[in-house]
Amino acid sequence: MENLELLLSRALDAVIGMSSEGRVTAWNGAAEELFGWSKEEALCAVLGELIVPAQHREHHARGLEHYNRTGEGPVLERRIKITALHRTGVEFPVELSIFAINHSDQQHSFYAFVRDRSIEEAAHREQELRAREATAVMNMGQKLIEDVPLDDFIQFCLDEVCDIASMDAGHLYVVRGEGRAQILEPSGIWCLRDERYRPVVEVTSRLQFKPGQGLPGRAWQSGGLEALENLIDDCKFLRREIFTEVGLTRGVALAVPHGGNVHAVL
């Protein structure tokens, strides 16, 4: 037993022991770091309540009951990709392998080896995003070759950007006028992922922005990306009421420059 404790304590992956009743029997240093619970806090706690997300708990309980009754476990000794729960309530991706140990007194226990997949998942998402961006650029190039009407090309580009950025709604403002008389006006070109966002179109159609005014005006003035993480609590956001009504809570505005000047804002 001492050798086992030494082995678990030196393991680089999180190692968790569980009794046939579903309570924690082993919890190494890597598990403390990964899940945020100390060994003293974790031991004897119900594992399903400690680190299993709510949507997986019923399946976890059924699997334990099935093994206790039949001695069979379809998830044992396999690499499983799933999510786990940190002490803070944050859900994150993990890979785990579970092994059952049958004891001489006809009792049994389980050990799971768990590793964090957050970095791996982030790298995978980044690769997917870069691939989607490359495809979008090629598609835009193809549209230019096809010499489609300008509004159609802008609509296509807006749809592509909203898809890549997972935006629920998108609109392009255009800069009109000359010199100090320049102003941002709505173009009428929209991307809406759901028709429930339609009321935003009507309200936006009546708004113009000067440099520095509102979220679009701020992006125009800075020439870059501006963001509001919580539109509902920002009293300066002019369309706060309608955005809240349709369920839009965050906003970004991106300047579209050309030749050193901003010509539009997404």
Side-chain angles (χ1 to χ4, degrees), residues 14-30:
V15 182
I16 301 169
M18 185 183 74
S19 68
S20 58
E21 290 80 30
R23 295 189 176 273
V24 177
T25 58
W27 191 266
N28 70 346

Side-chain angles (χ1 to χ4, degrees), residues 21 23 49 60 68 76 80 95 99 127 140 163-164 169 192 199 241 245 257:
E21 290 80 30
R23 295 189 176 273
E49 298 175 358
H60 167 78
N68 288 338
L76 296 179
I80 302 169
E95 180 180 84
F99 301 88
Q127 288 179 339
M140 291 176 190
D163 182 56
I164 291 173
L192 298 176
E241 183 176 342
E245 182 181 312

Side-chain angles (χ1 to χ4, degrees), residues 76-238:
L76 296 179
E77 300 184 27
R78 293 172 49 196
R79 293 186 184 276
I80 302 169
K81 293 181 179 180
I82 197 169
T83 57
L85 205 60
H86 189 269
R87 179 175 187 159
T88 59
V90 174
E91 194 171 336
F92 63 99
V94 297
E95 180 180 84
L96 61 85
S97 302
I98 307 171
F99 301 88
I101 298 179
N102 296 313
H103 305 287
S104 56
D105 57 359
Q106 296 187 336
Q107 295 296 311
H108 56 267
S109 58
F110 307 88
Y111 283 90
F113 294 80
V114 190
R115 71 176 184 89
D116 188 356
R117 295 182 59 248
S118 298
I119 296 178
E120 179 183 327
E121 285 282 300
H124 179 67
R125 288 194 298 270
E126 182 71 15
Q127 288 179 339
E128 285 190 334
L129 181 59
R130 296 287 84 82
R132 290 170 62 192
E133 288 175 350
T135 300
V137 170
M138 288 190 294
N139 291 339
M140 291 176 190
Q142 182 61 40
K143 289 293 181 182
L144 286 174
I145 294 174
E146 295 172 1
D147 194 25
V148 299
L150 179 60
D151 282 359
D152 291 348
F153 177 71
I154 294 174
Q155 181 69 66
F156 178 81
C157 293
L158 181 61
D159 291 342
E160 290 285 302
V161 169
C162 288
D163 182 56
I164 291 173
S166 298
M167 293 170 60
D168 292 311
H171 176 58
L172 192 74
Y173 288 92
V174 292
V175 177
R176 307 288 190 191
E178 298 292 337
R180 293 186 177 181
Q182 283 188 327
I183 198 162
L184 267 182
E185 292 185 347
S187 67
I189 298 175
W190 282 84
C191 173
L192 298 176
R193 296 300 179 193
D194 193 299
E195 279 301 306
R196 72 176 185 271
Y197 304 130
R198 180 65 60 181
V200 173
V201 176
E202 181 181 353
V203 174
T204 301
S205 69
R206 302 192 296 267
L207 291 179
Q208 296 177 329
F209 295 93
K210 297 177 181 179
Q213 183 184 32
L215 186 60
R218 283 167 45 191
W220 181 15
Q221 186 175 61
S222 70
L225 178 70
E226 299 290 331
L228 285 176
E229 288 297 323
N230 193 336
L231 303 178
I232 297 174
D233 293 336
D234 192 326
C235 296
K236 294 182 180 179
F237 188 73
L238 299 179

